[in-house]
Amino acid sequence: MSDIFTPVTLGGIELQNRLVMAPMTRSRANADGTPSKLAAEYYAQRAAVGLIVTEGTQPSDDGQGYLTTPGIYTDAHVEGWRKVADAVHNNGGRIFVQLMHAGRMSHPDNTPHHRQGAAPSAIAPGVPMFTPTGMQDIPTPRAMTTDEVRQTVADFRDAARRAIEAGADGVEVHGANGYLVQQFLAPSANTRTDEYGGSIENRSRFALEVARAIAEEIGADRTAIRLSPGITMWGIDEGTEGSALYRHLVGALDKLGLAYLHIMHSGVEERLVDIRKLWHRALIINRPGRPRDEIGADIATGLADLESYGQMALANPDFIDRLKVGAPMNEADRATYFGGTERGFTDYPTLIDVATDKEAV
């Protein structure tokens, strides 16, 4: 396991190890989308990982899908994220803000302007969503005009600039998990007839334009993207052209010189091998549910340069220390994943806490 603890250069920054805290929605932002005071503590507690990727952060009002998720498109948002970035840096860590537009995965009751979700096409995902009044079916989104698509690219660019102003080391575009970028990729969510729909090249256009715009704004070495090839959640179906789609997309992204590509693995091993061949910079792999005894396996084989972990990093502020000494891990409390107070957020015990408690007995 020694390879996971070796430093690695990612874009223009040096990381202390090859373990990444995966982006995880926590729904604890203030009502205006500003990160709460607890967010700075939460991320700072986990700064020993090589890289923190934040929870999905909307680049505009239209980008919000869930309750109390953070934004990065106002001056107040910038000030809130600056406190988070400063706290992480003061603890020796590095942090990328994940930019996430929810697209059709939204409900008017959850957003500041109470508008329909905006998506490639007027096709509902066919699933319910939590709202202030409980679970409700997600309504059919409005199909974005071509001008609105271009404005959304500009929104991503502006949000990336603001993230850097706030002190983040870079940004990761959320192109996975059934949100807007992947909605453009999937024929089940995209039936457009303009330059953003139809062929593989057209369906890939939005993702590439977003990545290119951000790279132009803040530098390719501070720009990254996350993809989830083949995932079928929330009505997403990339069809029989899925493998060809990602070969085209990853090959085109590779030419942009981005800091890294972050892949959420869906179980098709051959597709990962294809991506590794096409991608010539840092590759992060996330395998949901990976057991502890397999941590570092993809790095050891050369398939990945870094590995990302969600639940283990969420429940263990001292994730790295526990790995180094072989200590048991805290179990994540699923009931406190979304919303709430410090419980299940900043109160998970460290090894030092446990030792102190024993000494006090």
Side-chain angles (χ1 to χ4, degrees):
M1 285 181 58
S2 60
D3 284 349
I4 65 176
F5 301 120
T6 58
V8 61
T9 299
L10 197 69
I13 61 174
E14 183 82 7
L15 306 185
Q16 55 191 323
N17 56 65
R18 295 169 184 263
L19 294 170
V20 177
M21 177 175 166
M24 292 172 284
T25 297
R26 302 310 312 271
S27 295
R28 284 172 168 85
N30 297 327
D32 68 346
T34 302
S36 69
K37 292 180 180 178
L38 283 175
E41 180 181 356
Y42 168 70
Y43 287 116
Q45 287 175 342
R46 291 153 179 81
V49 298
L51 176 69
I52 289 171
V53 183
T54 74
E55 61 210 285
T57 304
Q58 55 258 16
S60 64
D61 283 346
D62 276 348
Q64 184 171 357
Y66 302 99
L67 288 169
T68 57
T69 51
I72 183 66
Y73 55 95
T74 71
D75 292 345
H77 296 159
V78 170
E79 289 306 307
W81 279 113
R82 182 173 288 121
K83 293 172 184 175
V84 174
D86 286 348
V88 170
H89 291 152
N90 289 340
N91 277 26
R94 295 290 194 173
I95 184 168
F96 271 45
V97 172
Q98 189 190 65
L99 301 181
M100 176 185 127
H101 191 303
R104 69 182 189 175
M105 294 303 299
S106 179
H107 195 286
D109 291 354
N110 292 349
T111 64
H113 51 35
H114 303 300
R115 290 166 61 185
Q116 272 180 300
S121 301
I123 303 171
V127 293
M129 169 178 281
F130 186 78
T131 73
T133 56
M135 297 298 288
Q136 295 191 54
D137 288 338
I138 296 175
T140 300
R142 73 179 191 278
M144 301 164 72
T145 67
T146 303
D147 285 344
E148 283 179 317
V149 175
R150 292 170 182 154
Q151 178 57 52
T152 302
V153 173
D155 290 342
F156 271 97
R157 180 194 285 266
D158 180 65
R161 175 183 58 79
R162 287 178 177 271
I164 299 303
E165 286 179 5
D169 296 294
V171 302
E172 177 184 287
V173 176
H174 197 345
N177 295 70
Y179 297 115
L180 185 66
V181 173
Q182 192 171 27
Q183 289 163 27
F184 271 94
L185 299 176
S188 65
N190 180 358
T191 57
R192 302 177 70 91
T193 57
D194 64 0
E195 63 263 44
Y196 295 98
S199 68
I200 283 174
E201 291 77 14
N202 283 359
R203 285 184 279 122
S204 300
R205 192 181 307 278
F206 179 71
L208 291 169
E209 287 186 353
V210 168
R212 188 178 298 111
I214 292 174
E216 290 172 355
E217 186 69 27
I218 66 172
D221 61 344
R222 294 194 285 193
T223 305
I225 190 166
R226 190 181 206 217
L227 303 173
S228 55
I231 198 167
T232 57
M233 63 196 306
W234 300 331
I236 291 295
D237 184 351
E238 291 161 340
T240 58
E241 294 183 317
S243 293
L245 167 73
Y246 279 96
R247 282 195 294 270
H248 169 77
L249 178 59
V250 172
L253 287 168
D254 184 68
K255 295 175 183 176
L256 299 180
L258 307 184
Y260 67 81
L261 172 63
H262 189 177
I263 296 293
M264 180 176 158
H265 186 44
S266 62
V268 182
E269 211 63 30
E270 294 81 4
R271 190 169 285 172
L272 270 183
V273 174
D274 278 350
I275 288 171
R276 176 75 276 185
K277 291 175 181 176
L278 289 164
W279 186 256
H280 297 97
R281 273 161 295 283
L283 180 64
I284 302 174
I285 293 179
N286 176 267
R287 294 180 183 262
R290 163 161 270 189
R292 175 179 175 157
D293 61 3
E294 293 182 12
I295 292 176
D298 286 329
I299 294 171
T301 65
L303 186 61
D305 299 290
L306 304 95
E307 296 176 5
S308 67
Y309 292 89
Q311 293 182 46
M312 280 190 277
L314 181 155
N316 295 276
D318 53 351
F319 176 49
I320 301 298
D321 289 342
R322 288 174 187 263
L323 282 177
K324 286 181 175 179
V325 302
M329 296 280 181
N330 299 321
E331 290 293 324
D333 177 11
R334 298 186 67 87
T336 58
Y337 276 6
F338 309 112
T341 63
E342 70 279 356
R343 181 170 169 263
F345 193 46
T346 58
D347 67 342
Y348 281 103
T350 65
L351 293 174
I352 293 174
D353 295 331
V354 173
T356 302
D357 288 344
K358 287 182 178 178
E359 290 174 3
V361 172

